[in-house]
Amino acid sequence: MLNEQTTQAKGQAIDVPTGDSTRTHAPQAGQPGEPVNRNKEANHELSIRVRDLNLWYGEHQALKNINIDIYQKNVTALIGPSGCGKSTFLRCLNRMNDLIKSVRIQGLVEMDGRDVNETKMDEVALRRRVGMVFQKPNPFPKSIYENIAYAPRMHDLVGRKAEQDELVERALRDAGLWNEVKDKLHQPGTSLSGGQQQRLCIARAIAVQPDVILMDEPTSALDPISTATIEDLMDKLKQQFTIVTVTHNMQQAARVADYTAFFHLGELIEYNDTRVMFSNPHIRKTEDYITGRYG
Amino acid sequence: MSQSFDEITAQLRRRHRRSANLKRMSMGALILAAAFLVVFIGDMLVKGLPAFQQAQIQIEVNYSEQAREIPPAAVGDDVRSLVSRGYLRLIPSRMEENPELLGTQRMEWVIADSTVDQYLKGHNSELRPKEKRVVDRLVEQGRAELRFNTTFFTTGDSRMPEMAGIAAAAMGTVMTLIVTMAVCFPVGVMTAVYLEEFAPDNHLTQIIEININNLAAVPSILFGLLGLAVYINFFGVPRSSPLVGGLTLALMTLPVIIIATRTALRSVPDGIRQAAFGVGCSRWQVVRDHVLPLSLPGILTGSIIGMAQAMGETAPLIIVGMVAFIPDVSASFTNAATVMPAQVFTWAGDPSPAFVEKTAGGILVLLAVLITLNATAVLLRKKFERRW
């Protein structure tokens, strides 16, 4: 179990080591869930605000009092050992946990001033604004073209065929896949290689113009070269989208993320600017994990 | 201490012998099953194929005034007992339809009596020696031979074997299956979709699930009793009609389709559902656009197998009156009808050799339709099968 220090550290993990001084020196950083050292050139507009989020699978509590702010047009990486709740947390952001029976959620996940868990919130509307890319590439068993065009058509974002063609091309270009597939748009999406399939899934997610893209270990099933391609892509996509990614690979978090959150046993241990996190973590547990002492 | 190759080989010998025995036993089982099948189908073919042929004789038919009143007068005394009585009975109505026949004499190929038919096929026949000589003479002159039996495929049942056909029963089967399919397929698939994709996991749905599985194991005759009590006695659906038969068979086929559909739905990878939810599909869109198309081959296969099962069913149809004597082909859902297995059942009850032949012929037609249905199932599955 966690010791007292980490229990106390949850949520406001960032200001624990320096105590009140941090709070006085950087009052805005003292709010729970905000990282201490902000990346100076980064965008600081709030995208998703999470307060006191608790989640249970039946009797088992998988998330404990999570407080975190996710900033627009940044890449936020969630790291931590297996079963620490990072994927569960990610799925709270677009209510994919609704699909699992016996899940109980408490707390606030706020986007655009609205609680996403409130009964008035339609989860379909939420998922339209918060897209998702999964661990295993899962293109629809349809053509490459249909994979992209399906969702925009369903949401009435496109009308005429020409509009649709244009949108498919734009999404594929943004996902860096256009040159590889432009001559075989009507072949099945499943005929592509794993890395291409994953980029197709990214193209599918960005085709509906969401605000946020959630990525659940998007490269864990891919080879190093495909992984590098996807990482470059994330770097490019953050100009347009807010990206939250779960990763097992700490080097990947260090490479792509602006902010990194470290989860352990359902708690958010530390949330910080990635550079600070990897060079000078404020919490001992984080340092132990990052340096490979466990996990 | 390590063992030498020889020692290990000696030990292995027993294991190899066992696996060889197992292989022999499973081969034996397969051969036994294949032998049963060959004997069964061979027997049916030997007995049933002659039913597809029918003796015809060429005789002079005299369409006289008298023949209109007393049909047997149309043919000569020597061959009168050789001609099918069913054919003779039709003479007045044919003269009614074609008035120009009146007063003419024609040489015509007519359907022979079943006794002649059996004699020509080399079976025991009730023909008297004198009649046999007449037939022999006709054969010598080329005026009596076995021809393809169109009657068998165009008419309904008859008391006279040479006039009996499977067509009315086949039509009854088609009409009944249309009703069964129309009720079963939408209800079964929708039930399965609800249970698999929408229903909460609580006691009520668990009880429903258990009961559906139980329904699949209920003896089919009980469904017949239910059909009699509910459809005929309570709702007043016409007795013996394809409507009531189809509704009764639907009760029986429903659990089969529900179970097959649920299995097919469950085999769709969860990644597809997640992907669809992830791009903002509603539950219904996920099912309609992604899950159902992927599970369609499985659903179709299950449904067609369920239909084939329903097609071969006789017991519940006895109760709702579909084992009936139906001489006319009727494409109506509410008229009395019979189905192929029931027709086979009726013919099987008649000991005369001509009807034994009809029974086997009916079984052959039934088997042919069944095999066609199953082949369609396989083809459909191949056609819609997609990799993911």
Side-chain angles (χ1 to χ4, degrees):
Chain A
M1 276 310 292
L2 292 168
N3 59 31
E4 207 162 273
Q5 190 203 349
T6 49
T7 315
Q8 194 193 3
K10 79 196 162 203
Q12 52 276 56
I14 32 19
D15 57 7
V16 166
T18 41
D20 283 343
S21 59
T22 316
R23 191 163 291 184
T24 42
H25 287 129
Q28 76 277 42
Q31 295 302 314
E34 284 185 38
V36 186
N37 296 37
R38 282 174 172 177
N39 190 337
K40 289 291 173 277
E41 59 270 33
N43 188 324
H44 300 308
E45 276 179 64
L46 195 62
S47 174
I48 300 175
R49 196 163 74 100
V50 179
R51 288 294 175 271
D52 299 321
L53 183 70
N54 287 287
L55 182 143
W56 291 263
Y57 290 120
E59 291 300 303
H60 171 70
Q61 186 167 8
L63 291 178
K64 298 170 188 163
N65 281 320
I66 306 294
N67 290 288
I68 193 168
D69 286 342
I70 290 168
Y71 294 103
Q72 283 184 17
K73 307 201 173 161
N74 277 298
V75 176
T76 305
L78 312 177
I79 60 170
S82 294
C84 66
K86 53 196 190 305
S87 284
T88 302
F89 171 73
L90 188 77
R91 296 160 66 90
C92 284
L93 303 181
N94 69 344
R95 282 179 59 179
M96 285 298 268
N97 285 323
D98 287 14
L99 305 178
I100 302 165
K101 285 157 193 165
S102 85
V103 160
R104 196 156 53 85
I105 298 171
Q106 220 175 53
L108 177 76
V109 178
E110 191 184 76
M111 186 182 172
D112 221 359
R114 296 267 305 270
D115 180 2
V116 304
N117 287 314
E118 70 184 12
T119 40
K120 269 188 300 179
M121 171 65 82
D122 189 334
E123 73 268 22
V124 171
L126 175 68
R127 291 182 197 138
R128 156 100 172 65
R129 296 191 62 185
V130 184
M132 189 152 189
V133 176
F134 298 86
Q135 182 172 3
K136 203 172 150 237
N138 56 355
F140 297 132
K142 302 173 190 279
S143 70
I144 293 170
Y145 185 95
E146 263 308 293
N147 260 285
I148 312 287
Y150 171 75
R153 205 167 53 223
M154 182 180 71
H155 294 300
D156 286 325
L157 297 181
V158 284
R160 290 169 295 105
K161 180 86 170 59
E163 236 172 47
Q164 208 169 301
D165 292 348
E166 195 188 306
L167 184 136
V168 169
E169 180 175 345
R170 185 150 31 91
L172 285 171
R173 273 190 197 285
D174 286 349
L177 195 60
W178 175 251
N179 286 330
E180 292 156 66
V181 301
K182 64 183 174 201
D183 299 322
K184 48 177 182 178
L185 286 177
H186 296 284
Q187 286 179 20
T190 44
S191 67
L192 298 172
S193 75
Q196 289 174 324
Q197 285 191 22
Q198 196 61 297
R199 276 180 286 152
L200 180 63
C201 292
I202 293 174
R204 176 177 69 190
I206 61 185
V208 292
Q209 288 295 316
D211 299 280
V212 182
I213 302 175
L214 308 178
M215 299 189 179
D216 190 356
E217 299 185 36
T219 60
S220 66
L222 305 181
D223 63 276
I225 293 171
S226 305
T227 301
T229 316
I230 301 245
E231 284 176 11
D232 290 345
L233 184 58
M234 285 161 81
D235 209 45
K236 213 178 79 194
L237 288 175
K238 74 175 183 186
Q239 317 276 330
Q240 296 179 60
F241 307 99
T242 308
I243 297 176
V244 185
T245 178
V246 166
T247 179
H248 262 306
N249 180 335
M250 266 164 306
Q251 283 71 39
Q252 181 172 72
R255 282 191 300 264
V256 301
D258 300 297
Y259 297 101
T260 301
F262 171 56
F263 283 74
H264 185 62
L265 293 175
E267 302 192 45
L268 177 59
I269 306 297
E270 182 163 357
Y271 177 40
N272 219 328
D273 185 297
T274 301
R275 278 178 283 179
V276 177
M277 190 85 153
F278 282 89
S279 57
N280 185 23
H282 291 185
I283 308 233
R284 181 64 187 271
K285 219 175 186 69
T286 316
E287 190 181 338
D288 287 351
Y289 180 68
I290 287 170
T291 53
R293 221 158 287 170
Y294 69 94
Chain B
M1 211 176 86
S2 65
Q3 294 174 300
S4 73
F5 279 126
D6 289 340
E7 282 168 336
I8 297 172
T9 312
Q11 287 170 356
L12 280 180
R13 203 162 292 144
R14 225 178 83 222
R15 269 158 62 185
H16 287 319
R17 204 168 49 232
R18 278 192 182 170
S19 66
N21 276 343
L22 187 68
K23 189 179 154 194
R24 264 197 296 278
M25 261 150 64
S26 41
M27 288 275 284
L30 181 70
I31 290 169
L32 194 67
F36 274 126
L37 195 68
V38 166
V39 168
F40 170 67
I41 292 187
D43 184 50
M44 282 302 129
L45 284 175
V46 168
K47 288 198 177 124
L49 279 182
F52 300 152
Q53 287 197 313
Q54 166 66 40
Q56 297 196 358
I57 53 175
Q58 196 185 34
I59 53 161
E60 196 168 65
V61 186
N62 187 359
Y63 292 101
S64 61
E65 250 341 302
Q66 194 194 5
R68 197 151 61 180
E69 305 302 322
I70 312 159
V75 294
D77 289 338
D78 55 338
V79 292
R80 190 168 295 145
S81 62
L82 305 181
V83 176
S84 164
R85 279 169 296 140
Y87 171 80
L88 290 177
R89 259 183 227 167
L90 289 175
I91 288 181
S93 60
R94 280 178 57 208
M95 288 172 73
E96 201 94 338
E97 280 165 30
N98 308 301
E100 76 277 5
L101 284 175
L102 186 62
T104 58
Q105 276 194 2
R106 297 163 183 238
M107 289 297 275
E108 280 185 14
W109 281 97
V110 302
I111 293 172
D113 193 76
S114 67
T115 48
V116 177
D117 186 54
Q118 291 300 304
Y119 179 64
L120 286 184
K121 285 170 182 166
H123 298 302
N124 285 335
S125 172
E126 294 158 13
L127 281 181
R128 285 189 296 270
K130 201 179 107 196
E131 291 168 328
K132 283 184 182 168
R133 280 197 296 278
V134 177
V135 175
D136 288 338
R137 204 184 63 230
L138 286 173
V139 172
E140 266 168 45
Q141 292 169 347
R143 288 170 61 196
E145 60 185 38
L146 290 172
R147 293 188 165 187
F148 182 71
N149 189 355
T150 41
T151 315
F152 187 68
F153 295 99
T154 52
T155 64
D157 202 1
S158 169
R159 294 280 174 243
M160 289 157 284
E162 72 273 12
M163 299 302 283
I166 193 89
M171 184 54 91
T173 291
V174 169
M175 306 303 279
T176 306
L177 284 187
I178 287 174
V179 174
T180 307
M181 194 76 185
V183 174
C184 248
F185 190 72
V187 175
V189 171
M190 284 299 134
T191 307
V193 165
Y194 177 75
L195 285 176
E196 205 55 42
E197 305 285 336
F198 293 91
D201 189 18
N202 57 26
H203 283 301
L204 184 68
T205 48
Q206 276 165 14
I207 289 171
I208 291 174
E209 236 183 281
I210 292 169
N211 279 309
I212 288 171
N213 291 336
N214 282 342
L215 271 185
V218 167
S220 58
I221 196 146
L222 295 185
F223 288 113
L225 287 169
L226 187 69
L228 176 68
V230 176
Y231 296 135
I232 298 180
N233 292 346
F234 189 75
F235 288 110
V237 180
R239 197 170 165 275
S240 298
S241 63
L243 186 61
V244 73
L247 288 172
T248 306
L249 291 181
L251 289 176
M252 211 192 74
T253 315
L254 205 51
V256 178
I257 293 193
I258 294 174
I259 292 169
T261 307
R262 293 191 67 180
T263 314
L265 291 175
R266 229 173 285 158
S267 71
V268 173
D270 238 12
I272 301 293
R273 284 190 190 82
Q274 296 203 338
F277 279 120
V279 296
C281 285
S282 66
R283 233 166 227 284
W284 170 235
Q285 284 168 325
V286 173
V287 172
R288 187 195 58 192
D289 295 345
H290 303 286
V291 178
L292 270 184
L294 281 176
S295 51
L296 199 61
I299 295 175
L300 285 178
T301 312
S303 303
I304 292 177
I305 287 170
M307 285 290 130
Q309 227 177 56
M311 203 185 106
E313 201 55 63
T314 329
L317 298 181
I318 294 177
I319 309 274
V320 295
M322 283 200 81
V323 181
F325 180 79
I326 308 293
D328 299 311
V329 182
S330 156
S332 154
F333 287 111
T334 47
N335 285 352
T338 190
V339 292
M340 282 196 278
Q343 185 68 75
V344 168
F345 176 73
T346 314
W347 285 341
D350 194 309
S352 75
F355 271 116
V356 172
E357 189 184 288
K358 295 278 174 243
T359 309
I363 290 173
L364 284 181
V365 174
L366 185 61
L367 282 180
V369 178
L370 271 177
I371 290 170
T372 315
L373 267 185
N374 286 340
T376 318
V378 173
L379 285 179
L380 280 176
R381 192 175 51 209
K382 281 265 173 288
K383 185 169 182 291
F384 288 108
E385 215 159 48
R386 270 185 282 189
R387 289 184 317 114
W388 52 69

